[in-house]
């Protein structure tokens, strides 16, 4: 085997696993850049991410930023709906499918508008879980054929809005989360003389597995128990509204990692539906909630950031599971409703950040030349580095070096060696560890202590972004998100590193990465070149991350560019819109500051210095303008 095999994009694929998590949308191109195929049914259409970055730079838009590929959103909407339609046909299922998109997953207007537009041929609807969301979906989805599903806790205003929407001819379904909501709804419906469409949410005994397992089970926050559901149905009957009860709802959690939980919930839900039917409550819809997972780490496993099934399998389990029970129980197949949010939006957006520096593990070290009268501890350490190349027992070298370093620390505290000698010992120590690390790369067996060397010797790449704003779940729930360089993937990445953000918070870091061997705390990236920007993409951020970010350290929302693909464009894409991120003024105002009076106050101080002759008037004007420009500027590093 030749000693230096040329690095190929396949080698990069082995590290970054783009095909595994990319779901047909992302791939490493022959030129080493990340490529996007926004419509997997038209693979001729390929966008080179490098071209997107070049155009963004040309437009003078500052990084970091969110890039949204609207075509991916459209593709996912079509894929989910078509998968249901095809499966229904194949299963000879008599009910239809009416999906809704739960806007809490990403409420950005452009995102919701795109989903509504792409979903129109399928009568795809929207779901709201709060009053603000209800007001949004009432205005945005005007298709009277599609469903509007209302979950979450509700007050009187909420009910009135829902009934207004009924008056406007919309198929708006109020899902009852607790019994008292039903009493409220019935009272207002009678007062307004409007027939509501009522759904009931069942508290399921089956629990999802994964991070959101508590959405199911006896202690679930939402839903009615079996006896409460029966009472609810009877309550409606007593008020002459038995035929208003149309939908059974359940949602056992988001990001269901194990398909068995889906199968079990369908079996349980189908039985409840059938029983209610037999009792005379002829429900038309069964809403299976969300939960369709995303394979963030590309492992196709029951890891928290993965799932052990495909969308096709998920849909088939719902359709066939429901059909089987209904046929056995001899009740009609209900219209199936699902509320997938994560699966619709996760792929379409990513965060592009620039690496602005490398923090080396142990600094550059100091010169370690032999000097007269050097302490024996320094000499001992130097001796190790001289013999290591001819020494086969690396464990012994490792142990000795570790022991000498420990002794040196004691010696320093007892004033036996100087600070400079301690620095020399540390420098030599890390040089030895570097050599050990190289030597054990190809070893068959590596003792545990030595396995940690890769991490101990790795760098930190400082990235211009905030984990708290752009990747909240990596911090909050250890969610894994794929991170890949957007260029140079035809070159060997030689720097092992973890990533840190620019917040003053040691939690502001990413240290869980997809790797060749499962999840690793370091990822190989390329060395930084002084004359070339190095961009990383943080992918699958379109669900939840986009809206859950916070303003830690007053880093605000990111600039956004919205990309559309275009056959006639030589680059295959165009930037349809640029949305400005938060300015410093914006985030300060949210925190109750008055940027204009702050500017005044600083100007006053400058004026006083000018008046006292401590600053030239011209310089004073410059500083005043500079302060004001910074207030109006972006919250992130200018690069
Ligand atoms: C959050 C939520 C969803 C969306 O779940 P995903 O797993 O993102 O698809 C659907 N339904 C309800 C009731 C929810 O609370």
């Amino acid at each position: 085997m030749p000693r230096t095999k040329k690095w190929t994009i396949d080698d990069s694929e082995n590290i970054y696993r783009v095909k595994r998590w990319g779901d047909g949308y992302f791939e490493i191109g022959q030129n080493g850049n990340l490529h996007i195929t926004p419509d997997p049914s038209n693979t001729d259409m390929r966008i080179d991410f490098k071209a997107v970055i070049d155009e963004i730079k040309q437009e003078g838009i500052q990084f970091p930023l969110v890039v949204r590929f609207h075509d991916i959103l459209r593709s996912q909407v079509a894929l989910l709906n078509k998968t249901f339609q095809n499966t229904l046909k194949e299963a000879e299922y008599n009910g239809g499918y009416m999906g809704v998109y739960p806007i809490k997953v990403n409420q950005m207007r452009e995102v919701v508008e795109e989903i509504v537009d792409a979903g129109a041929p399928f009568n795809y609807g929207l779901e709201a879980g709060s009053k603000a969301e209800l007001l949004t979906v009432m205005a945005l989805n005007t298709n009277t054929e599609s469903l509007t599903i209302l979950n979450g806790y509700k007050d009187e205003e909420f009910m009135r809005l829902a009934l207004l929407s009924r008056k406007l001819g919309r198929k708006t379904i109020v899902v009852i989360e607790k019994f008292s909501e039903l009493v409220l709804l019935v009272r207002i419906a009678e007062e307004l003389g409007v027939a509501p469409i009522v759904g009931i949410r069942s508290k399921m005994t089956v629990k999802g597995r994964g991070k959101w397992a508590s959405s199911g089970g006896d202690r679930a926050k939402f839903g009615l128990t079996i006896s409460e559901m029966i009472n609810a149905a009877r309550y409606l009957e007593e008020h002459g509204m038995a035929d208003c009860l149309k939908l059974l709802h359940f949602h056992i959690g988001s990001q269901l990692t194990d398909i068995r939980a889906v199968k079990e919930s369908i079996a349980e839900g189908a039985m409840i539906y059938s029983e209610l039917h037999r009792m005379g409550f002829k429900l038309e819809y069964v809403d299976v909630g969300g939960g369709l997972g995303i394979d963030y780490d590309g492992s196709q496993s029951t890891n928290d950031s993965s799932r052990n099934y495909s969308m096709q399998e998920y849909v088939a389990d719902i359709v066939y599971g429901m059909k089987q029970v209904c046929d056995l129980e001899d009740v009609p197949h209900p219209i199936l409703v699902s509320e997938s949010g994560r699966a619709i939006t996760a792929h379409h957006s990513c965060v592009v950040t620039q690496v602005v520096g490398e923090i080396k593990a142990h600094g550059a070290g100091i010169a370690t030349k032999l000097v007269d009268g050097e302490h024996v501890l320094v000499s001992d350490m130097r001796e190790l580095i001289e013999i290591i190349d001819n020494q086969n027992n690396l464990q012994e070298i490792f142990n000795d070096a570790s022991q000498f370093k420990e002794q040196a620390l004691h010696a320093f505290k007892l004033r036996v060696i100087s600070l400079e000698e301690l620095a020399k010992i540390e420098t030599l120590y890390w040089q030895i560890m570097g050599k050990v690390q190289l030597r054990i790369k190809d070893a068959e067996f590596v003792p545990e202590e030595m396995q940690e060397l890769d991490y101990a010797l790795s760098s930190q790449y400082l990235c211009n972004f905030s984990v708290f704003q752009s990747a909240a779940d990596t911090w909050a729930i250890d969610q894994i998100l794929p991170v890949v360089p957007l260029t140079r993937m035809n070159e060997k990445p030689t720097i092992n590193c973890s990533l840190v953000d620019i917040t003053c918070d040691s939690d502001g870091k990413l240290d869980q990465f997809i790797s060749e061997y499962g999840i690793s705390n370091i990822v190989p990236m390329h060395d930084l070149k002084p004359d070339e920007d190095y961009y990383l993409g943080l992918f699958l951020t379109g669900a939840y991350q986009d809206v859950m970010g916070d303003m830690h350290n007053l880093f605000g929302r990111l600039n956004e560019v919205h990309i559309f693909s275009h056959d006639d464009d030589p680059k295959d894409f165009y930037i349809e819109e640029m949305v400005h991120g938060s300015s410093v003024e914006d985030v300060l105002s949210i925190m109750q500051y008055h940027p204009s009076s702050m500017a005044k106050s600083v100007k006053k101080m400058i004026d006083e210095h000018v008046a006292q002759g401590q600053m030239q008037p011209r310089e004073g004007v410059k500083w005043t303008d500079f302060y004001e420009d910074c207030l109006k500027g972006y919250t992130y590093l200018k690069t």
Side-chain angles (χ1 to χ4, degrees):
M1 205 175 78
R3 242 172 59 90
T4 47
K5 192 177 137 290
K6 194 179 172 322
W7 188 265
T8 68
I9 58 167
D10 294 333
D11 298 315
S12 284
E13 176 63 34
N14 279 339
I15 301 177
Y16 304 118
R17 309 256 153 182
V18 177
K19 277 191 194 138
R20 301 278 297 262
W21 57 260
D23 252 349
Y25 293 115
F26 305 101
E27 207 181 342
I28 305 172
Q30 284 302 328
N31 61 1
N33 297 342
L34 194 85
H35 285 189
I36 302 109
T37 313
D39 177 2
S41 67
N42 173 16
T43 47
D44 288 345
M45 171 73 75
R46 281 169 82 89
I47 299 172
D48 188 328
F49 218 126
K50 175 72 169 38
V52 176
I53 288 180
D54 289 345
E55 183 136 338
I56 289 167
K57 277 187 174 167
Q58 215 166 40
E59 303 262 327
I61 304 168
Q62 280 183 51
F63 291 88
L65 42 77
V66 170
V67 179
R68 290 189 198 287
F69 295 98
H70 279 242
D71 301 275
I72 294 184
L73 261 186
R74 302 186 72 88
S75 296
Q76 283 299 95
V77 170
L79 183 66
L80 180 70
N81 279 283
K82 284 181 181 165
T83 304
F84 262 104
Q85 283 179 354
N86 294 340
T87 311
L88 293 178
K89 204 181 289 169
E90 179 195 288
E92 296 178 1
Y93 188 94
N94 302 323
Y97 170 70
M98 300 278 286
V100 291
Y101 166 66
I103 72 167
K104 77 154 189 265
V105 181
N106 193 325
Q107 301 103 335
M108 280 287 297
R109 177 173 55 79
E110 291 87 343
V111 170
V112 179
E113 282 176 351
E114 201 66 57
I115 290 172
V116 168
D117 189 62
F122 311 102
N123 291 324
Y124 194 55
L126 296 175
E127 185 264 7
S130 68
K131 218 168 355 188
E133 290 185 354
L134 165 55
L135 290 159
T136 310
V137 304
M138 274 178 73
L140 259 87
N141 186 15
T142 52
N143 177 356
T144 50
E145 288 306 309
S146 67
L147 298 181
T148 300
I149 305 252
L150 306 179
N151 293 314
Y153 290 123
K154 305 165 188 73
D155 62 5
E156 183 163 336
E157 252 174 21
F158 192 116
M159 296 302 186
R160 283 187 192 279
L161 285 165
L163 292 167
L164 165 62
S165 143
R166 283 292 297 137
K167 262 181 180 291
L168 300 175
R170 301 272 294 273
K171 289 187 185 156
T172 303
I173 305 182
V174 179
V175 178
I176 300 300
E177 305 274 9
K178 64 186 199 339
F179 195 87
S180 59
E181 287 180 357
L182 187 65
V183 179
L184 186 63
L185 177 64
V186 167
R187 172 166 69 72
I188 299 167
E190 282 173 343
E191 176 198 316
L192 296 176
V194 181
I197 313 179
V198 182
I200 39 177
R201 177 161 177 175
S202 164
K203 197 175 263 193
M204 303 294 272
T205 59
V206 47
K207 270 189 160 191
R209 292 165 193 90
K211 292 281 178 193
W212 287 271
S214 59
S215 303
D218 289 338
R219 290 287 295 168
K221 178 169 137 189
F222 296 106
L224 307 182
T225 61
I226 301 279
S227 53
E228 283 171 326
M229 281 194 282
I230 292 173
N231 286 339
R234 299 233 160 98
Y235 186 84
L236 283 168
E237 198 170 36
E238 284 159 21
H239 288 78
M241 293 187 190
D243 57 351
C244 293
L245 183 57
K246 290 270 164 66
L247 177 140
L248 174 71
H249 178 273
F250 50 89
H251 170 75
I252 60 166
S254 195
Q255 182 66 15
L256 296 174
T257 59
D258 191 341
I259 191 69
R260 280 176 298 181
V262 176
K263 291 178 196 282
E264 287 168 29
S265 71
I266 296 301
E268 186 174 337
M271 274 313 295
I272 297 171
Y273 159 79
S274 304
E275 280 300 303
L276 285 170
H277 220 278
R278 258 216 286 267
M279 290 170 66
F281 300 102
K282 307 216 176 310
L283 280 62
E284 287 173 25
Y285 303 93
V286 170
D287 180 347
V288 302
L292 175 51
I294 289 284
D295 194 3
Y296 291 98
D297 69 13
S299 67
Q300 279 176 38
S301 69
T302 55
N303 287 352
D304 284 344
S305 295
S306 185
R307 52 160 164 71
N308 66 354
Y309 56 93
S310 63
M311 181 192 282
Q312 172 65 54
E313 190 180 346
Y314 170 83
V315 170
D317 277 348
I318 292 171
V319 173
Y320 284 95
M322 191 63 66
K323 179 179 151 79
Q324 190 184 25
V325 174
C326 292
D327 289 351
L328 271 173
E329 300 295 315
D330 201 20
V331 293
H333 302 161
I335 295 171
L336 291 169
V337 179
S338 78
E339 304 174 342
S340 286
R342 188 185 294 276
I344 294 290
T345 58
H347 299 85
H348 92 281
S349 90
C350 60
V351 174
V352 179
T353 167
Q354 207 174 3
V355 179
V356 291
E358 176 180 1
I359 304 163
K360 289 217 168 79
H362 307 287
I366 66 166
T368 57
K369 263 212 193 82
L370 179 65
V371 292
D372 281 348
E374 119 180 323
H375 194 275
V376 62
L377 276 170
V378 187
S379 313
D380 283 351
M381 199 66 112
R382 176 173 300 105
E383 198 174 304
L384 289 180
I385 208 161
E386 279 158 6
I387 62 167
I388 187 167
D389 290 337
N390 304 313
Q391 171 65 269
N392 279 330
N393 193 344
L394 288 174
Q395 175 92 61
E396 192 179 333
I397 300 243
F398 178 88
N399 291 343
D400 287 352
S402 303
Q403 192 195 358
F404 294 158
K405 182 161 152 269
E406 211 167 292
Q407 286 172 348
L409 220 66
H410 285 302
F412 172 67
K413 284 185 196 155
L414 296 169
R415 301 172 191 235
V416 174
I417 61 169
S418 68
L419 187 65
E420 193 163 356
E421 282 170 323
L422 180 65
K424 275 187 183 178
I425 289 169
E426 277 196 349
T427 304
L428 288 165
Y429 172 81
W430 287 113
Q431 285 171 358
I432 292 164
M433 291 304 143
K435 279 176 181 277
V436 172
Q437 184 201 24
L438 275 181
R439 291 271 303 277
I440 59 176
K441 268 220 165 90
D442 306 312
E444 265 175 38
F445 173 76
V446 180
E448 202 173 302
E449 283 177 312
M450 284 153 75
Q451 284 172 15
E452 285 158 25
L453 273 182
D454 278 347
Y455 184 66
L457 289 163
S458 68
S459 288
Q460 289 171 303
Y461 266 11
L462 180 62
C463 302
N464 188 14
F465 83 121
S466 156
V467 161
F468 307 94
Q469 172 64 243
S470 297
D473 280 349
T474 63
W475 166 66
I477 56 168
D478 285 332
Q479 162 96 61
I480 290 160
L481 293 174
V483 190
V484 293
L486 299 177
T487 55
R488 292 172 66 186
M489 280 188 283
N490 49 0
E491 268 176 57
K492 184 175 173 149
T494 52
I495 310 287
N496 276 332
C497 60
S498 60
L499 306 180
V500 290
D501 72 5
I502 56 171
T503 64
C504 306
D505 190 319
S506 43
D507 270 356
K509 62 179 182 193
L510 297 180
D511 60 0
Q512 279 197 292
F513 303 98
I514 295 168
S515 82
E516 218 167 332
Y517 315 101
I519 301 307
S520 167
N521 48 15
I522 45 176
V523 62
M525 293 287 175
H526 302 89
D527 59 322
L528 302 179
K529 296 180 179 168
D531 53 348
E532 198 179 296
D533 294 331
Y534 189 57
Y535 294 98
L536 300 181
L538 188 60
F539 285 86
L540 307 181
T541 57
Y544 302 104
Q545 310 315 297
D546 263 352
V547 294
M548 298 219 307
D550 67 38
M551 297 203 309
H552 195 9
N553 258 159
L554 298 185
F555 288 113
R557 284 192 71 84
L558 270 60
N559 287 333
E560 282 196 11
V561 292
H562 298 179
I563 308 285
F564 276 83
S565 56
H566 196 319
D567 281 325
D568 297 336
D569 198 296
K571 288 193 287 266
D572 280 350
F573 74 90
Y574 64 100
I575 296 179
E576 192 244 11
E577 191 178 14
M578 187 259 175
V579 181
H580 283 280
S582 314
S583 66
V584 174
E585 270 179 349
D586 294 339
V587 294
L588 288 177
S589 304
I590 293 170
M591 291 291 150
Q592 298 280 44
Y593 291 92
H594 303 288
S596 61
S597 53
M598 287 164 59
K600 259 185 218 146
S601 149
V602 170
K603 180 172 187 306
K604 193 163 155 239
M605 287 186 262
I606 290 172
D607 287 349
E608 279 164 14
H609 277 68
V610 171
Q612 289 160 13
Q614 289 156 330
M615 199 184 269
Q616 291 298 318
R618 199 185 296 266
E619 194 192 347
V621 171
K622 249 194 209 159
W623 284 123
T624 307
D625 288 349
F626 179 66
Y627 183 86
E628 284 176 13
D629 285 348
C630 289
L631 272 178
K632 289 193 171 46
Y634 202 23
T635 56
Y636 293 88
L637 300 182
K638 254 190 181 156
T639 53

